[in-house]
């Protein structure tokens, strides 16, 4: 089956054509990052307007790069939520219009479902598996028992990991979004140089908290300003990154032990982080866990990842109605509700 996938939940307008939920024929991502950087974060109204401008050209490009036309597409998968309502509405309306005009089915997919099935575009993962999703809006541990069968084991109580990276970068005077920049600077720094807290590290639970770490960064910068570029700034980035990774790894280890599962997926934009990739690989090899972290191009927001669950649902006949609305908040544990 040839599925056209559409993603507009935040600041990337993306479309992809994927065959059988496995083979990417095209994946186009148009980022608005440069526009929002001026404001230090995503401005919802601007995001919606930009999606409106870009949605048709991005879909056309995805079809052209795949060498197919609308007539070849057999189904549409689109992010229904969570995300910015106005932004989501653009993608959902486009999906409905295409489905309606071509007489093909469409399905609304949870954005995080896309992230955790991204590695399937490289090679399928057997169920059940544990998934750590770390992005700008999420830091969640899920037990994934099948498509639509997710159990949240832990989550952030305040900031998401990506948010912690971006806010700390901002505190340091780096442009939004600063996660990748901290990663690059950290590679030149000493992770043991600055003592920073590891919130909830040893509480025995599976929830996360990153706001205290952000405050610690603010206090440190106020007392010890750093120049960029410079070795002190690199040391601070390396120390911050190490603190985040230590917490993510420790909680994941507890979740693996508690569930007894032997397969682990790490996904979402923060899974691009070189320190986290290294730390997770070390954890996995120590515990003989089958670890899957998708290539960086599949970690950040893209549409191809949505085609994995989308293709499955369409094949199973889980088709969405034209009356379906976006949902700004959507609990993963309830995704499969009402299905047989
Ligand atoms: O998954 P994603 O593209 O969008 C959301 O759904 O949020 O994740 C974006 C987040 C941003 O916070 C960004 O700073 C972070 O991922 N990020 C990184 C790196 N690359 C992207 N954080 C740390 N290190 C990186 N290399
Ligand atoms: Zn995302």
């Amino acid at each position: 089956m040839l599925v056209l996938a559409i993603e507009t939940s935040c600041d990337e307008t993306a479309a992809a054509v994927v065959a059988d939920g496995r083979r990417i024929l095209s994946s186009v991502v148009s980022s608005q990052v440069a526009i929002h950087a001026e404001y230090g974060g995503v401005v919802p109204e601007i995001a919606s307007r930009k999606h409106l401008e870009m949605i048709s050209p991005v879909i056309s490009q995805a079809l052209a790069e795949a060498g197919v036309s609308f007539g070849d597409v057999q189904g549409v998968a689109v992010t229904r939520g969570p995300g910015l309502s106005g932004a989501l509405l653009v993608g959902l309306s486009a999906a409905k219009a295409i489905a309606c005009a071509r007489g093909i089915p469409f399905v609304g997919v949870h954005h995080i479902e896309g992230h955790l099935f991204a590695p399937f575009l490289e090679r399928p993962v057997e169920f059940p598996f544990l998934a750590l999703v770390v992005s700008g809006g999420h830091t969640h541990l899920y037990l994934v028992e099948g498509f639509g069968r997710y159990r949240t084991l832990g989550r952030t109580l305040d900031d998401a990991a990506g948010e912690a990276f971006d806010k700390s970068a901002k505190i340091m005077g780096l442009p939004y979004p600063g996660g990748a920049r901290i990663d690059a600077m950290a590679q030149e720094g000493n992770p043991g140089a600055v003592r920073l807290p590891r919130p909830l590290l040893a509480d025995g639970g599976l929830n996360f908290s990153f706001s205290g770490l952000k405050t610690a960064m603010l206090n440190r910068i106020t007392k010890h300003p750093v120049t960029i570029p410079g070795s002190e700034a690199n040391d601070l980035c390396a120390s911050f990154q190490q603190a985040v990774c230590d917490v993510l790894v420790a909680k994941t280890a507890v979740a693996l032990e508690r569930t007894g599962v032997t397969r682990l997926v790490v996904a979402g934009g923060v899974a691009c982080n070189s320190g986290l990739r290294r730390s997770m690989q070390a954890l996995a090899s120590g515990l003989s866990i089958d670890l899957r972290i998708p290539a960086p191009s599949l970690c950040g927001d893209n549409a191809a990842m949505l085609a994995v669950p989308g293709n499955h649902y369409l094949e199973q006949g889980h088709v969405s109605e034209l009356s379906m609305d976006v949902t700004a908040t959507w609990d993963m544990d309830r995704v499969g509700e009402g299905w047989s």
Side-chain angles (χ1 to χ4, degrees):
M1 174 156 52
L2 217 54
V3 167
L4 170 68
I6 299 170
E7 152 66 34
T8 62
S9 66
C10 190
D11 59 348
E12 260 101 27
T13 317
V17 178
V18 177
D20 302 322
R22 287 288 307 277
R23 205 156 46 85
I24 302 175
L25 303 188
S26 67
S27 179
V28 179
V29 180
S30 168
S31 176
Q32 306 174 3
V33 154
I35 298 162
H36 298 290
E38 220 180 293
Y39 304 92
V42 177
V43 184
E45 178 61 23
I46 296 176
S48 312
R49 285 166 188 260
K50 203 66 200 163
H51 283 308
L52 262 182
E53 247 173 65
M54 295 310 295
I55 191 74
S56 287
V58 164
I59 291 173
S60 299
Q61 193 184 335
L63 293 173
E65 284 183 12
V68 301
S69 66
F70 276 123
D72 300 311
V73 174
Q74 291 156 293
V76 184
V78 61
T79 304
R80 179 192 176 195
L84 305 168
S85 294
L88 288 162
L89 206 51
V90 177
L92 182 61
S93 305
K96 285 182 184 176
I98 294 163
C100 195
R102 303 301 316 182
I104 55 174
F106 86 98
V107 62
V109 176
H110 194 295
H111 179 77
I112 296 303
E113 270 188 294
H115 277 302
L116 55 88
F117 286 114
F120 283 57
L121 293 164
E122 297 168 336
R123 191 162 44 88
V125 184
E126 263 180 63
F127 299 115
F129 60 86
L130 184 80
L132 172 72
V133 178
V134 272
S135 70
H138 283 75
T139 301
H140 281 59
L141 275 164
Y142 299 106
L143 177 64
V144 181
E145 293 173 308
F147 286 103
R149 293 174 59 206
Y150 317 117
R151 199 142 53 85
T152 304
L153 303 178
R155 55 180 299 162
T156 182
L157 302 175
D158 39 58
D159 293 348
E163 213 176 341
F165 267 97
D166 296 342
K167 286 180 177 170
S168 295
K170 194 171 180 178
I171 288 166
M172 290 183 70
L174 297 169
Y176 171 87
R181 186 73 194 280
I182 288 192
D183 187 357
M185 289 168 66
Q187 290 179 40
E188 310 295 323
N190 169 11
V194 183
R195 273 172 66 99
L196 290 168
R198 268 98 173 127
L200 306 186
L201 180 77
D203 72 337
L206 293 175
N207 288 330
F208 304 87
S209 166
F210 291 108
S211 70
L213 181 54
K214 177 189 63 190
T215 309
M217 284 291 281
L218 182 61
N219 292 340
R220 172 77 197 184
I221 283 284
T222 310
K223 282 192 204 129
H224 293 92
V226 291
T227 33
I228 298 168
S231 63
E232 280 196 335
N234 292 343
D235 284 349
L236 188 55
C237 287
S239 303
F240 167 80
Q241 185 167 296
Q242 190 64 51
V244 175
C245 290
D246 283 356
V247 176
L248 293 174
V249 167
K251 299 282 175 175
T252 303
V254 174
L256 285 167
E257 197 197 335
R258 277 199 199 159
T259 57
V261 297
T262 55
R263 287 170 290 270
L264 169 67
V265 163
V266 182
V270 182
C272 291
N273 186 269
S274 58
L276 183 61
R277 294 175 88 94
R278 259 195 318 274
S279 307
M280 284 296 176
Q281 270 145 14
L283 172 78
S285 60
L287 298 176
S288 298
I289 295 294
D290 179 6
L291 170 68
R292 299 286 303 280
I293 312 180
S297 62
L298 288 172
C299 287
D301 283 349
N302 67 90
M305 65 187 191
L306 301 165
V308 182
N311 189 93
H312 174 84
Y313 295 143
L314 292 169
E315 274 181 355
Q316 298 292 308
H318 293 313
V319 172
S320 298
E321 301 287 334
L322 284 172
S323 57
M324 191 182 79
D325 201 355
V326 300
T327 169
T329 54
W330 189 4
D331 189 344
M332 277 280 276
D333 297 37
R334 306 187 68 168
V335 165
E337 245 174 31
W339 295 351
S340 52

